Amino acid sequence: MKLFPPLPWISSLRPINLGFLALTAWIVSPSQLGSPLFAGLLMLMLMGNLHNDLGDFRADALNRPNTNPFQSKENRRLGVLLLLLALAMFLIFLGMLDSTAHVLGLVAVALALWLYNSRLQYFPLLGNAWLAGIMGFCLFLLIHTGPLAFQQKIWAYTAVALVHFARELVKSLQDQAGDAKHKPLRYSLPPVWLYRLLAALSLLGLAALSDLLWRSEKSPVIFGLAFVLPLPFVLFDRNYKRLSFLLKAFMLLGLLVLYLCYVLP
């Protein structure tokens, strides 16, 4: 008998999200890719994923059967050990930083992730916005000293936060049955239409920001308007898994905008 089912463990580590982090660092700030700052962010993401799955194994059993490895006590014990190991490595990378601002930034992200997993995920909508803000701040840590111009950085921070917010809202819709049954929500789940409306407004806001920042440049505006394309799916598609994948694809589109229009030249 195998101690861990292979696919659920891979799912718990979120390899696609880790790949997005590496790709983002390579595009927006290549000098940071092998830095203690990047390694610290990587460990934080791993810790956040493990902490989240350790706390959500009952809800995930209903929302996403056979994707959370922590159904058994043995796996939960090992998950705690992995979490402690990731914490130890995070502290090592933290000690390797020579920037006080980066140290404070990573500590702030760590506390924000702990607060989300421990408390704020039980506040519908508020928790979604909090997590989206964390992702935007992580990008800020990576590229605030990078080669991009100021308006490009502003767009990047906002794009990450808004698209991530929309995707978190869709994931909440996907998980609403298990969340309502197994999570100690602080108040009842808002109506589905409100989730859809906020997700749509996030994408519209990103398209408007793209037009505002780059009125004189055609390519970024065209890419910005592309964020309007998933709106019919956001408003009407009931296949939340497919919709979540679509929004992740638009995260990739945002990275391609920065690379093709500003990094590649």
Side-chain angles (χ1 to χ4, degrees), residues 5 13 19 21 45 56 59 67 70 74 80 101 128 130 135 138 152 160-161 173 187 198 225 231 234 237 242 253:
L13 295 177
L21 179 63
M45 188 171 289
D56 288 353
T67 61
F70 302 127
E74 293 79 9
V80 171
N128 301 131
W130 183 267
M135 299 307 296
C138 286
Q152 297 159 15
V160 167
L173 289 176
Y187 43 82
L198 290 175
L225 292 177
L231 287 181
V234 170
D237 192 356
R242 177 175 59 200
L253 173 64

Side-chain angles (χ1 to χ4, degrees), residues 257-265:
V257 169
L258 291 174
Y259 180 72
L260 294 174
C261 298
Y262 294 106
V263 179
L264 187 60

Side-chain angles (χ1 to χ4, degrees), residues 67-230:
T67 61
N68 191 322
F70 302 127
Q71 300 298 315
S72 68
K73 290 184 178 179
E74 293 79 9
N75 282 2
R76 287 198 292 276
R77 292 192 190 101
L78 184 58
V80 171
L81 290 177
L82 289 174
L83 183 59
L84 293 175
L85 177 61
L87 175 60
M89 295 181 67
F90 168 72
L91 293 175
I92 291 173
F93 294 130
L94 196 66
M96 295 171 63
L97 289 170
D98 55 6
S99 169
T100 302
H102 285 167
V103 171
L104 294 176
L106 286 183
V107 171
V109 173
L111 292 175
L113 278 173
W114 174 83
L115 185 60
Y116 170 78
N117 283 329
S118 302
R119 296 287 185 273
L120 290 179
Q121 68 165 314
Y122 306 126
F123 291 80
L125 299 184
L126 174 62
N128 301 131
W130 183 267
L131 191 56
I134 291 175
M135 299 307 296
F137 183 70
C138 286
L139 186 67
F140 169 78
L141 288 177
L142 277 176
I143 72 173
H144 76 284
T145 58
L148 297 181
F150 177 74
Q151 72 177 29
Q152 297 159 15
K153 293 176 182 178
I154 292 296
W155 185 86
Y157 307 149
T158 310
V160 167
L162 289 179
V163 177
H164 201 88
F165 181 52
R167 186 166 179 271
E168 285 299 317
L169 292 171
V170 170
K171 287 170 62 180
S172 292
L173 289 176
Q174 184 181 357
D175 296 345
Q176 58 186 340
D179 290 352
K181 185 174 182 180
H182 293 293
K183 284 189 176 182
L185 298 178
R186 296 299 186 257
Y187 43 82
S188 59
L189 288 169
V192 171
W193 65 264
L194 183 57
Y195 281 91
R196 290 182 180 273
L197 177 62
L198 290 175
L201 289 176
S202 297
L203 297 179
L204 282 173
L206 179 54
L209 180 67
S210 300
D211 180 66
L212 178 66
L213 290 180
W214 290 315
R215 288 183 182 276
S216 62
E217 301 182 42
K218 294 181 180 179
S219 296
V221 172
I222 292 173
F223 279 112
L225 292 177
F227 287 96
V228 177
L229 295 179

